[in-house]
Amino acid sequence: MKKDEHHLLLVWLILVSLIGFALFISLREKVLLLLYMGDNSKLSWVITLLFVIITIYCARRVWFISREINISEKVIALARERELSIRNGAIYADNTEQIPDCMMTRYLLDLYYQATSHAGDAQADNNQNQTGNQELIQVFEAKLKNPHNLGWFFSDIMIKLGLLGTIIGFVLMLGSVVNVTDFDVTTMQNILKQMSSGMGTALYTTFAGLVCSILTAAQFHLLDQAADELVDSTKHLTQVHILPRL
């Protein structure tokens, strides 16, 4: 079933809207205030800042991949229905209409240049073309998906920062009883207060790290899925409609 134009962007906006709604409820119920005020390590602020930065980066990638998918659908339609030719470093349909520029178009250009550069024995050309096609599609896939590694890196960093906050919280909690020699009522009250503060730091940072990491991973999972679909479409177009003509 054909997806709507900018399907990826629409799905991502729905996800971000749900996140925004959850933040609104959290603010209204003062959950975020409790989170940030109860974290003495302030790592929750760092995790939140990282989440905002990587979400902005994800928005740019979503727009880019969504645009590439839309243009590639036009390229696929032209490649299926019309004869393609290369002139002045560009691909034309029936020598009249220039194919829209996108990553798929540049991949097809490389494919044509590779095919024309191997002239000679037919069997040797076939083997070289198959190897070259595999390498080109790997390069194409890497260009699409390698920028997403930053998102997965940030997701991992958020979890580790949450665990670091957990350790800091336990250190603060246990540090409150290290030098205690007199266990009167006032001292015990102070100890329990400090232990509660340390436990709060441990739990709040872990919570912030896990939630932000999960939300980041969800966004970049959408991106990876869209990139895989674009790569699969490119492979299908190449094998069925382009290579038989070369």
Side-chain angles (χ1 to χ4, degrees), residues 207-226:
F207 175 78
L210 287 175
V211 170
C212 290
S213 176
I214 290 171
L215 295 177
T216 300
Q219 294 181 75
F220 281 88
H221 176 69
L222 285 176
L223 275 175
D224 280 347
Q225 274 193 325

Side-chain angles (χ1 to χ4, degrees), residues 125-190:
D125 287 348
N126 185 52
N127 293 335
Q128 288 177 342
N129 285 337
Q130 288 182 353
T131 302
N133 295 341
Q134 293 177 355
E135 292 175 351
L136 283 177
I137 199 65
Q138 289 173 359
V139 172
F140 176 73
E141 184 174 5
K143 287 180 179 179
L144 274 176
K145 299 184 69 174
N146 281 352
H148 302 170
N149 291 337
L150 182 63
W152 295 110
F153 173 76
F154 267 60
S155 178
D156 187 55
I157 287 295
M158 290 172 191
I159 292 180
K160 287 181 169 58
L161 286 175
L163 294 176
L164 178 60
T166 304
I167 295 173
I168 292 174
F170 279 113
V171 170
L172 293 174
M173 184 178 65
L174 296 176
S176 62
V177 297
V178 171
N179 298 321
V180 176
T181 56
D182 186 14
F183 289 92
D184 56 29
V185 175
T186 303
T187 302
M188 288 300 298
Q189 287 177 341
N190 292 332

Side-chain angles (χ1 to χ4, degrees), residues 13-235:
L13 286 175
I14 292 173
L15 176 61
V16 172
S17 298
L18 292 174
I19 295 173
F21 178 73
L23 287 176
F24 172 76
I25 297 298
S26 300
L27 284 171
R28 185 175 180 179
E29 299 298 326
K30 298 183 179 180
V31 174
L32 290 182
L33 179 63
L34 184 64
L35 170 67
Y36 294 123
M37 295 300 293
D39 178 16
N40 292 328
S41 69
K42 306 305 178 185
L43 284 175
S44 296
W45 289 98
V46 177
I47 294 170
T48 303
L49 178 61
L50 290 178
F51 176 73
V52 171
I53 292 172
I54 202 61
T55 299
I56 294 173
Y57 175 79
C58 183
R60 296 181 60 186
R61 289 299 303 172
V62 165
W63 173 254
F64 174 78
I65 296 294
S66 181
R67 176 179 174 275
E68 288 291 322
I69 291 174
N70 290 337
I71 298 177
S72 67
E73 289 178 354
K74 299 176 183 178
V75 174
I76 292 172
L78 289 171
R80 286 175 176 175
E81 300 169 1
R82 303 163 74 175
E83 189 69 27
L84 302 182
S85 60
I86 296 179
R87 187 170 72 250
N88 299 326
I91 302 180
Y92 289 83
D94 295 335
N95 288 318
T96 56
E97 181 180 354
Q98 183 175 345
I99 298 295
D101 181 52
C102 64
M103 291 187 67
M104 180 182 285
T105 304
R106 292 190 285 273
Y107 166 76
L108 294 179
L109 270 173
D110 292 338
L111 198 64
Y112 271 102
Y113 287 141
Q114 174 190 270
T116 55
S117 64
H118 297 300
D121 180 66
Q123 183 63 34
D125 287 348
N126 185 52
N127 293 335
Q128 288 177 342
N129 285 337
Q130 288 182 353
T131 302
N133 295 341
Q134 293 177 355
E135 292 175 351
L136 283 177
I137 199 65
Q138 289 173 359
V139 172
F140 176 73
E141 184 174 5
K143 287 180 179 179
L144 274 176
K145 299 184 69 174
N146 281 352
H148 302 170
N149 291 337
L150 182 63
W152 295 110
F153 173 76
F154 267 60
S155 178
D156 187 55
I157 287 295
M158 290 172 191
I159 292 180
K160 287 181 169 58
L161 286 175
L163 294 176
L164 178 60
T166 304
I167 295 173
I168 292 174
F170 279 113
V171 170
L172 293 174
M173 184 178 65
L174 296 176
S176 62
V177 297
V178 171
N179 298 321
V180 176
T181 56
D182 186 14
F183 289 92
D184 56 29
V185 175
T186 303
T187 302
M188 288 300 298
Q189 287 177 341
N190 292 332
I191 290 174
L192 290 175
K193 184 177 180 180
Q194 293 177 17
M195 290 182 69
S196 299
S197 177
M199 181 60 71
T201 297
L203 295 177
Y204 288 140
T205 53
T206 303
F207 175 78
L210 287 175
V211 170
C212 290
S213 176
I214 290 171
L215 295 177
T216 300
Q219 294 181 75
F220 281 88
H221 176 69
L222 285 176
L223 275 175
D224 280 347
Q225 274 193 325
D228 287 336
E229 290 178 6
L230 182 55
V231 171
D232 291 340
S233 298
T234 305
K235 288 180 180 179

